[in-house]
């Protein structure tokens, strides 16, 4: 992350800061990992601590259906149920102690405010557009945007349509750009597949100087509490620091290519504790005269592999639809589907887009995942599978 400043701030931190009407502004440190991690300082018109009431919690613990999994699986994201409410629409499909992952298909904007007090959030926009409104400014979003929302960010989603699909990852650790892309000063290096120009920070908006009853839904440890605050949470007159939400569009990822097939780490986009996020994008295929562009068979001994297919025709898979998830468990060999390797030879370019999440601890599957599973995926590498599928289609 890089330093960013918006609005009005005092010359010196932790000093008296007043409005033109001689009213105090109230400073808030916003950061993680105690006082050691990156942080920002926010300046509020009103004290941001004025709680009127807190409800009894609503339990949103995902219901585990498969605790230990060694089966390759496919989940049909198009069959995940849409909901009016943003929080109700968040269907967790897979999780471990480091992250939760799933889909959200909200139809309506949020009138309340929301804060995840435990996890960083990554929202990848598969379909839809709108504005992510936060207490440090707004981010307009559209298809292909990654929205990285640090824990503790108070936000609303303003949606432009009723057709919205977000891939959601909740991370129990901060989500950063990969360390191997940055120098010791934090600047993205020349060989990084993206740079600071590709990362968009919030646009500052005028603060809301309002009193009343303001509902903030706060999530922590799989519980959601309704907090009623006496002042509007978007009353920030200025802020500065390194800790803030941002967006990055997958089509600004510049692919790394080679003469022969290169492994998935070349697609890495973000990292967190015990998992990485990668972007598969339109790119030139390998250009050795005998190159096989399709990936070689491999077993990720130390990680599961989840792919979310968002645009184009993914060349290594047969019978994949957009919004599908595939899960390849760690230690189990997987690779191209029958015919995919042969089809790829001689091809020069692909228009595929997909998001990959590789967790380094095994994933558990929820009841929501099993509702949308395609059980035929496990046997889809059999040599006779094409004939088998053709026979089934003629029945």
């Amino acid at each position: 992350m890089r330093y960013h400043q918006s609005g009005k701030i005092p010359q010196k931190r932790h000093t008296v800061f007043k409005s033109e009407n001689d009213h105090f502004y109230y400073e808030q440190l916003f950061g993680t990992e105690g006082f050691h991690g990156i942080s920002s300082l926010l300046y509020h018109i009103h004290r941001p601590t004025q709680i009127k009431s807190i409800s009894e919690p609503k339990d949103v613990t995902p219901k585990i259906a498969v605790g230990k999994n060694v089966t390759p699986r496919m989940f049909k994201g198009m069959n995940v149920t849409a909901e009016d409410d943003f929080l109700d629409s968040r269907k967790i499909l897979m999780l471990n102690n480091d992250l939760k992952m799933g889909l959200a298909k909200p139809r309506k904007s949020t009138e309340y405010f929301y804060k995840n007090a435990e996890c960083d959030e990554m929202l990848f926009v598969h379909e839809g557009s709108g504005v992510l409104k936060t207490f440090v400014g707004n981010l307009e979003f559209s298809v292909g945007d990654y929205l990285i929302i640090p824990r503790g960010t108070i936000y609303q989603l303003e949606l432009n349509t009723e057709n919205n699909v977000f891939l959601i990852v909740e991370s129990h650790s901060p989500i950063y750009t990969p360390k191997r892309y940055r120098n010791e000063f934090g600047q993205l290096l020349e060989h990084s597949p993206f740079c600071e120009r590709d990362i968009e920070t919030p646009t500052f908006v005028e603060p809301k100087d309002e009193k009343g009853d303001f509902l903030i839904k706060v999530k922590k440890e799989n519980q959601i509490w309704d907090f009623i605050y006496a002042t509007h949470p978007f009353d920030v007159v200025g802020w500065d620091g390194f800790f803030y939400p941002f967006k990055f569009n997958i089509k600004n990822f510049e692919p790394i290519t080679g003469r022969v097939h290169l492994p998935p780490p070349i697609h890495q986009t973000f990292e967190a504790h015990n998992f990485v996020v990668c972007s598969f994008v339109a790119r030139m295929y390998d250009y050795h005269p005998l190159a096989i562009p399709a990936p070689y068979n491999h077993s990720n001994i130390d990680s599961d592999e989840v792919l979310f297919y968002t645009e184009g025709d993914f060349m290594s898979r047969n019978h994949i639809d957009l919004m599908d998830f595939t899960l390849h468990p760690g230690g189990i060999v997987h690779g191209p589907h029958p015919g995919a390797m042969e089809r790829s030879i001689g091809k020069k370019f692909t228009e595929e887009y997909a998001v990959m999440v590789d967790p380094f601890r095994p994933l558990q599957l929820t009841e929501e995942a099993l509702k949308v599973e395609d059980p035929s995926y496990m046997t889809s590498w059999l040599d006779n599978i094409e004939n088998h599928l053709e026979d089934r289609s003629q029945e």
Side-chain angles (χ1 to χ4, degrees):
M1 300 297 294
R2 54 182 170 166
Y3 175 79
H4 189 73
Q5 175 185 327
S6 282
K8 299 183 295 184
I9 62 173
Q11 179 64 33
K12 190 79 172 175
R13 60 185 177 177
H14 317 323
T15 58
V16 171
F17 183 32
K18 291 185 176 182
S19 70
E20 294 176 356
N21 296 326
D22 202 37
H23 292 151
F24 283 104
Y25 290 130
Y26 298 92
E27 186 179 60
Q28 174 195 349
L29 179 68
F30 173 50
T32 62
E33 300 177 324
F35 291 84
H36 175 73
I38 60 174
S39 64
S40 292
L41 285 171
L42 284 56
Y43 295 88
H44 295 266
I45 294 173
H46 304 283
R47 285 176 286 109
T49 52
Q50 298 183 60
I51 300 171
K52 285 188 169 182
S53 65
I54 302 175
S55 72
E56 291 297 314
K58 175 184 177 182
D59 184 68
V60 291
T61 304
K63 294 180 172 59
I64 303 300
V66 178
K68 296 180 180 179
N69 177 60
V70 295
T71 304
R73 297 178 186 261
M74 180 167 70
F75 307 104
K76 308 298 290 183
M78 65 177 63
N79 295 334
V80 170
T81 305
E83 306 276 2
D84 285 346
D85 180 72
F86 172 58
L87 294 181
D88 290 342
S89 76
R90 294 163 68 123
K91 311 296 185 185
I92 300 301
L93 306 181
M94 295 162 269
L95 72 156
N96 61 22
N97 288 335
D98 302 308
L99 78 160
K100 302 180 184 75
M101 182 174 8
L103 274 188
K105 296 181 178 180
R107 288 188 286 247
K108 294 184 178 180
S109 302
T110 54
E111 296 182 359
Y112 54 81
F113 304 90
Y114 174 63
K115 174 166 70 173
N116 194 325
E118 184 174 25
C119 292
D120 281 32
E121 297 187 347
M122 184 191 85
L123 277 58
F124 175 80
V125 185
H126 172 79
E127 184 176 353
S129 62
V131 182
L132 175 70
K133 296 182 174 181
T134 83
F135 61 178
V136 294
N138 294 349
L139 285 166
E140 295 185 3
F141 62 83
S142 57
V143 171
D145 280 334
Y146 288 101
L147 300 172
I148 305 299
I149 307 172
R151 69 202 58 201
T153 301
I154 300 173
Y155 72 87
Q156 292 177 309
L157 277 184
E158 181 180 283
L159 303 173
N160 292 335
T161 71
E162 289 191 353
N163 298 316
N164 305 280
V165 180
F166 300 93
L167 165 67
I168 290 185
V169 175
E170 294 186 45
S171 171
H172 290 276
S173 60
I175 299 174
Y176 297 130
T177 55
K179 293 181 179 65
R180 60 193 177 88
Y181 293 164
R182 293 183 265 118
N183 61 24
E184 65 269 32
F185 305 104
Q187 184 179 13
L188 289 165
L189 296 163
E190 286 293 300
H191 62 268
S192 168
F194 53 90
C195 74
E196 286 82 1
R197 297 181 189 182
D198 300 316
I199 296 172
E200 295 192 39
T201 55
T203 300
F204 184 75
V205 295
E206 287 300 311
K208 303 286 189 181
D209 184 2
E210 299 176 17
K211 296 181 178 181
D213 295 325
F214 298 92
L215 170 59
I216 302 179
K217 291 182 176 289
V218 178
K219 182 179 180 182
K220 190 168 186 178
E221 295 186 346
N222 292 319
Q223 308 290 308
I224 295 179
W225 287 265
D226 287 356
F227 278 64
I228 302 298
Y229 278 85
T231 59
H232 198 293
F234 294 174
D235 69 339
V236 175
V237 300
W239 65 275
D240 77 328
F242 288 76
F243 196 55
Y244 48 83
F246 66 90
K247 78 172 183 179
F248 170 75
N249 194 279
I250 194 170
K251 293 190 176 179
N252 284 325
F253 186 93
E254 299 301 331
I256 299 169
T257 59
R259 292 187 74 219
V260 296
H261 192 82
L262 299 175
I266 64 165
H267 305 288
Q268 188 180 352
T269 312
F270 303 110
E271 69 181 14
H273 179 65
N274 279 340
F275 75 91
V276 298
V277 178
C278 298
S279 300
F280 289 84
V281 302
R283 61 194 182 278
M284 298 297 295
Y285 276 143
D286 321 309
Y287 47 89
H288 187 284
L290 298 179
I292 299 176
Y296 36 78
N297 298 304
H298 58 287
S299 55
N300 301 329
I301 301 299
D302 298 317
S303 69
D304 286 5
E305 176 188 288
V306 177
L307 270 164
F308 175 73
Y309 304 87
T310 186
E311 184 180 331
D313 184 12
F314 209 73
M315 62 90 168
S316 65
R317 291 281 168 267
N318 302 334
H319 312 292
I320 288 289
D321 295 315
L322 300 186
M323 271 192 277
D324 283 354
F325 290 85
T326 56
L327 165 61
H328 301 127
I332 308 302
V333 179
H334 70 280
H337 269 147
M341 182 195 78
E342 294 82 356
R343 291 194 306 267
S344 75
I345 296 172
K347 295 292 179 64
K348 303 298 182 184
F349 194 80
T350 178
E351 293 281 359
E352 68 192 19
Y353 288 87
V355 177
M356 185 171 79
V357 180
D358 278 7
F360 301 136
R361 288 197 277 192
L363 290 167
Q364 298 177 311
L365 308 179
T366 68
E367 292 180 0
E368 293 290 344
L370 297 196
K371 289 178 184 178
V372 297
E373 184 181 10
D374 180 348
S376 69
Y377 187 71
M378 178 184 70
T379 58
S380 60
W381 285 269
L382 291 173
D383 285 337
N384 63 350
I385 193 66
E386 291 297 320
N387 294 333
H388 176 63
L389 291 171
E390 184 176 345
D391 291 342
R392 286 181 59 188
S393 68
Q394 294 173 359
E395 291 177 357

